[in-house]
C-alpha cells in the first residue's frame, strides 16, 4: 500500500465535493519578517503596528498576499499536484486581516468540472476558503486548473462551468473592521497621492526590477508549504530549471508597485489573474499597473481602486498583448484586483 | 596572545571533562518560520498551535530537529572545530519540547577517548545535553568525532570506549507531558495512516526531491550558530565547494518524509546516525524510510515507530549498501530514530 | 504626473531641511532570527534573553547593526537614490537598545551642502535619527553622500561643511539603562578576554571567512527596506553584477569579529566609516580588528573599547592602505567604532 500522496486526478473530483486541506499553520512575526526579506514590501500598514493603529486596526496585519499564499499552499496537494496549468482566479475576497498568532486552514468545494475534448485532461473549478482559529473566513476565492486524468477510460462528468463574476462588485468588498483613513499619514506612508490623484486608464511604471534567485523563490514557496515538485527539483523538468511559483511573481510585482502606489495599502479583492508566461531564476522582474476603476466605500476616508498589475521580464509599461490578443512573451502575470486606499 | 578560538585538539580532552558551550539562544516564531522556509516541513504539530493543543500540548513546539541543531551548533567550537569526521550518534533522547521563548544552552561531558593507531588523530566521545532556561534537559545525546592532534608527541590517553546502547529502548523514550493522540485529526494532519498501518520492514519512498542551494544551507547552518569554516568559506577546501552541514541533510530528509509519514509527528529518540557521503550545492536530495520497529507507549493513542531515514542524491528507495557493506556513493544520511505517532 | 519616486537631486536639498522618512517598521523575533541566519552573529547579549537579563537588560535587544540598517534603509529613497557614492559616517551614537515589538522610524536634517567643482554633483551631509514608538531617539548619526544634480544650471548653494567630531568622546557614549557587567559570564559568552586583556595597537585576525551569495545580500537588504536598484537588479550596471549593500559587509565583518572579540557585546558609537571598495557575490569576506583606544564608563564593570573593524576579500590582517595612503584593493570596509565590554 503506497503511503505517499499521489494527488487527485480529474476523475477523482465530483461536483459539490468538499475537501478539507491538511496542515494548519500558525503565523507569527517570523512570517512577516521573511515576507519583507523575500520581497521589497514596504506598504506601511503591514510594516508598522503604530501605523496600522493610526488607521484603526489593532496592529499590522500580515501582507494580504502572504495570507493568500498560506491558504493557497494548503490546496496544492489536493488540487494541483497533477495540474498541467493554473488557468485562472475569480471572485477573490479578503474578508478579515490575518495577524501574527492566527492559525489558518483551508477548505475547498468543487464547483465546476469539464473534461477537455482530448479526453486526457479536464478543468476543475474550486472555491477555496481560508479560515482562522475562530472559524472565520479570512479569504474566499475561486480558481480553476487543468488536471490530468489517470485513467483515460474514466467517464467524463456532465460538464458544469460555474457562473463567475467578471469583477467583484465594489459593494461586496469587505472593509476591515475599524479601518479609517481620515487621519492617514501620507508622509509616513511614503507617497502623497490619494485615490483622487489616480485616473482610470492611467498607466504607472513601477520602475524598479529584481533579478530572481533560486534560493529565494524556494524559500518563499516552502514557507507557504506549497509542495509542487516543479518548484524545487531541478531534475523534474528538462534543462535543470525550476519553474517559479506564480505566487512568487505576484508578491514580487505587488511589492514593486509600492513605487507609484504606496498608498494602495490593502488588497480587498482579486477579480481575475493569469500567469501569462513562466518565470525562471535569472529573470529580472519588473511591474506596471493600470487603473481600471474607482469606487467609494462606507469606511471613513477609504476608497477602492481597481488595478491591473502586470509583472514582466522586459518590454515597456502598458504592453500586454500582441495583435492576436495573446500575452506578449515577456509578460509573466496579469492580475486584476481591488485595493483599499485613502480617497 | 591570540584571542581567536583555535578549537580543541585530541590531547586537550580528558575523560570526565565537562564543557559548558558558549552562546545561549532564545528561540522565537522567527526560528520556526525560517525552519519552514528552509525545509519543506509540514508536520502539523509543529506548524499549528491549534493542532498541537488538540494533541494536549500548550502550543506548537519548534521542530525537534531545529532544537537538535541549536544544541548541536553550540558544541561545534569546542568539539568539532578540528574534527576530521563526525563518526556517529547514539542514545539521543528528546526529553522536553522546545517552545518559542525558550532559551537553550548546551553542556557536554567527555565519556570516551581513543587515540588512533596512526598517532595523528583520536576519537572523542561526548554526551551533550541541551538545557532550557529552567535548567531542564530538553535533549541528551552521544556523538563521537575524529579529532586531529596538535602535538603528535602528546601521550595517548588510556583508551576508553563507552558502552552505548545500539537502540534507545522504547520504554526510555520521553513522552511530552499531556500528549494525547486519542482525538487526533488525520485529515488536518494530511495522512490517513496510523501506526497500525505500517509494517516492520516496509520501505517508503518519499518521492519528492529538493535541489540544494548554497544560500539556503548557509542560512540554516548560521541560524544554529554552527561556525565550522568548511560550510561557509568556498576557498577552504579545493574546488570552491562548500561542504554542507550534515544536519541540513537530516532536516531536509525528515521534512521530505512527510510524504508517506505525515503522522510521525514527534522525534523522540536518535538511535544511530551516519553522514554516509558529503552533500554539495546542486545535489538533489531525496529520501526513503524503512520501518524498523513498533512499540506502545503509556500515553493515550500514542505509539512509537522506529524508522531508518535515508537521504540520497540518486538511486532507488531501499538501496543502502554495496556487497561489501559500504554505503553506496549516492547515500548521504542513514539515520535510525524513534518517532511518536497515533497508534 | 509621474507617481514614482525619482529621489532627490543635489539642488533639491537646502540647509536645515528636515526629512521625515517613510515606512515605519515594527521589528520582532523574526528580524532577530533572520539576522542570525544571514550573518554568523553570536554575541550572547543579542542571542539570549537570559544572558541579557544577567547583564541588567530586560531581554535580548536586536543586534545594534540591525537597528542601524532599519534606520538607514528608510533614508535611502530620500537621501541616496541618486547618490554616486556614500562618502562617510561620523558622530554615530546608539542611544537606546531596540527590542522586539519596537517600531522604528527615521528623520534626517540636512546639515551641510557643498557643490563639487565639476558642477555635476555635490556633497550632502545629513544627521539622521532613528526613533522608537515612544518618540525616543535610539540612534543618531551623520552621513554624507555625493549626489547628482538633475539640472546642471541650478545655482550652487553656499558651501557649508559641518564641523564633525573625528571621534565620539567616550564620555558621550550612551550606556543602556541598567547595564551591569560585574557578574558577566565569560564562559557562556564564549571568550575569556576582558577589556584589560586588549592593548591599544593590537591587531586581531578574525580568521573565518564567508563566501557571499546573491540571495543572501538581497534578503538582508530588503529586510531593511533599502530599495537602491543597484543591489537587486542585475541589469542595472554592466556585467550583470549587483553591488552589495555596504551595510551587508558591515554586519558580516562585525559577526565574524566574534572570533576574537566575543565580549564586545554592544556597539555604542560609530566614529567613522568608509566602504573602501565594492563587494560582489562570490567574494569571500574576512575581517580583522585593531584596538584604537580604551575608556572607562560609569556603568558597573562596563568598559568602552574603540576598534577599527576592517572587512577584506584577501590580504593579511593589518594591511589597510598602500604607500600613497589609498585603501588596498582587497579592503572592503574600514569602520571606526566603540563597543561596550567587560572591563
Amino acid at each position: 500500500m503506497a503511503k505517499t500522496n499521489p494527488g487527485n486526478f480529474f476523475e477523482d473530483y465530483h461536483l459539490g465535493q468538499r475537501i478539507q486541506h491538511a496542515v494548519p499553520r500558525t503565523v507569527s512575526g517570523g512570517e512577516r519578517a521573511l515576507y519583507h526579506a523575500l520581497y521589497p514590501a514596504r506598504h506601511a500598514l503591514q510594516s508598522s503596528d503604530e501605523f496600522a493603529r493610526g488607521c484603526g486596526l489593532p496592529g499590522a496585519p500580515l501582507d494580504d498576499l502572504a495570507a493568500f499564499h498560506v491558504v493557497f499552499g494548503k490546496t496544492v496537494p489536493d488540487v494541483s499536484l497533477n495540474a498541467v496549468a493554473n488557468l485562472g482566479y475569480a471572485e477573490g475576497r479578503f474578508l478579515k486581516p490575518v495577524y501574527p498568532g492566527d492559525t489558518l486552514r483551508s477548505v475547498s468545494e468543487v464547483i465546476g468540472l469539464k473534461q477537455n475534448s482530448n479526453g486526457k485532461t479536464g478543468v476543475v473549478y474550486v472555491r477555496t476558503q481560508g479560515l482562522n482559529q475562530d472559524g472565520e473566513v479570512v479569504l474566499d476565492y475561486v480558481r480553476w486548473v487543468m488536471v490530468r486524468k489517470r485513467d483515460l477510460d474514466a467517464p467524463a462528468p456532465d460538464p458544469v462551468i460555474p457562473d463567475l463574476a467578471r469583477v467583484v462588485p465594489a459593494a461586496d468588498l469587505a472593509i476591515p473592521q475599524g479601518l479609517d483613513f481620515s487621519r492617514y499619514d501620507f508622509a509616513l506612508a511614503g507617497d502623497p497621492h490619494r485615490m483622487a490623484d489616480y485616473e482610470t486608464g492611467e498607466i504607472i511604471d513601477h520602475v524598479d526590477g529584481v533579478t530572481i534567485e533560486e534560493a529565494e523563490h524556494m524559500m518563499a514557496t516552502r514557507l507557504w508549504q506549497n509542495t509542487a515538485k516543479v518548484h524545487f527539483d531541478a531534475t523534474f523538468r528538462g534543462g535543470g530549471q525550476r519553474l517559479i511559483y506564480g505566487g512568487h511573481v505576484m508578491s514580487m510585482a505587488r511589492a514593486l508597485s509600492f513605487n507609484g502606489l504606496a498608498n494602495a495599502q490593502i488588497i480587498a479583492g482579486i477579480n481575475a489573474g493569469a500567469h501569462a508566461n513562466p518565470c525562471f531564476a535569472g529573470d529580472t522582474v519588473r511591474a506596471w499597473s493600470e487603473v481600471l476603476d474607482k469606487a467609494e466605500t462606507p469606511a471613513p476616508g477609504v476608497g477602492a481602486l481597481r488595478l491591473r498589475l502586470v509583472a514582466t521580464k522586459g518590454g515597456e509599461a502598458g504592453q500586454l498583448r500582441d495583435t492576436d490578443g495573446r500575452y506578449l512573451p515577456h509578460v509573466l502575470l496579469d492580475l486584476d484586483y481591488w485595493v483599499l486606499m485613502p480617497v
Side-chain angles (χ1 to χ4, degrees), chain A:
Chain A
M1 177 180 56
K3 300 233 167 39
T4 47
N5 174 25
N8 289 312
F9 291 85
F10 181 66
E11 65 268 31
D12 297 328
Y13 297 98
H14 61 268
L15 206 68
Q17 181 180 357
R18 285 185 63 82
I19 306 171
Q20 183 179 223
H21 305 295
V23 190
R25 170 122 197 120
T26 305
V27 296
S28 78
E31 277 76 8
R32 182 154 79 181
L34 268 162
Y35 196 83
H36 283 81
L38 292 163
Y39 307 108
R42 288 188 287 152
H43 289 93
L45 198 81
Q46 286 93 26
S47 178
S48 164
D49 284 343
E50 301 293 318
F51 190 92
R53 281 183 205 117
C55 298
L57 301 186
L62 213 61
D63 272 74
D64 305 297
L65 288 181
F68 174 82
H69 297 319
V70 170
V71 171
F72 181 100
K74 304 195 178 325
T75 70
V76 168
D78 300 310
V79 173
S80 45
L81 215 58
N82 300 303
V84 183
N86 194 36
L87 298 174
Y89 304 95
E91 298 189 359
R93 295 196 307 145
F94 292 80
L95 298 168
K96 279 189 78 86
V98 174
Y99 294 99
D102 283 355
T103 300
L104 300 182
R105 59 193 174 86
S106 305
V107 297
S108 294
E109 182 179 350
V110 178
I111 61 167
L113 288 170
K114 183 180 181 306
Q115 184 165 313
N116 287 326
S117 54
N118 62 15
K120 296 179 181 168
T121 55
V123 178
V124 180
Y125 296 78
V126 293
R127 176 176 294 281
T128 296
Q129 291 188 320
L131 297 99
N132 67 16
Q133 66 280 5
D134 299 321
E136 299 167 318
V137 180
V138 300
L139 171 63
D140 188 311
Y141 68 96
V142 172
R143 116 169 133 122
W144 54 106
V145 292
M146 191 188 300
V147 177
R148 273 192 294 273
K149 294 182 75 171
R150 178 175 35 208
D151 171 12
L152 299 192
D153 296 330
D158 291 334
V160 174
I161 297 178
D163 185 27
L164 297 171
R166 205 178 52 80
V167 176
V168 177
D172 288 356
L173 299 175
I175 314 292
Q177 196 180 348
L179 190 71
D180 181 346
F181 284 159
S182 55
R183 288 179 309 278
Y184 188 87
D185 188 331
F186 288 86
L188 265 187
D191 190 336
H193 304 100
R194 49 178 69 245
M195 193 168 79
D197 297 318
Y198 293 88
E199 298 298 326
T200 299
E202 180 177 353
I203 301 282
I204 301 148
D205 182 349
H206 300 303
V207 178
D208 304 310
V210 173
T211 308
I212 306 278
E213 296 292 319
E214 298 281 17
E216 291 175 349
H217 78 79
M218 290 203 296
M219 288 184 67
T221 308
R222 270 193 295 254
L223 186 58
W224 320 126
Q225 300 179 307
N226 177 333
T227 63
K229 293 176 180 60
V230 75
H231 306 317
F232 300 106
D233 180 346
T235 70
F236 190 70
R237 309 167 81 242
Q241 279 191 304
R242 280 160 276 198
L243 187 69
I244 291 176
Y245 164 49
H248 190 62
V249 177
M250 208 185 276
S251 278
M252 193 60 82
R254 159 73 176 158
L256 288 169
S257 79
F258 177 92
N259 198 355
L261 281 164
N263 295 322
Q265 293 288 358
I266 293 177
I267 300 183
I270 292 181
N271 301 308
H275 301 289
N277 285 290
C279 181
F280 299 102
D283 289 346
T284 298
V285 174
R286 297 173 199 285
W288 55 269
S289 293
E290 178 185 357
V291 180
L292 298 177
D293 200 0
K294 297 161 77 166
E296 296 189 347
T297 83
V302 179
L305 196 68
R306 187 180 153 213
L307 295 163
R308 175 196 302 281
L309 173 63
V310 177
T312 72
K313 51 178 178 176
E316 299 294 317
Q319 298 179 335
L320 187 66
R321 296 177 186 271
D322 64 18
T323 51
D324 294 327
R326 288 173 303 213
Y327 285 114
L328 291 165
H330 65 257
V331 172
L332 302 172
L333 170 76
D334 179 12
L335 185 71
D336 179 339
Y337 73 123
W338 282 109
V339 295
L340 303 180
M341 69 182 303
V343 290

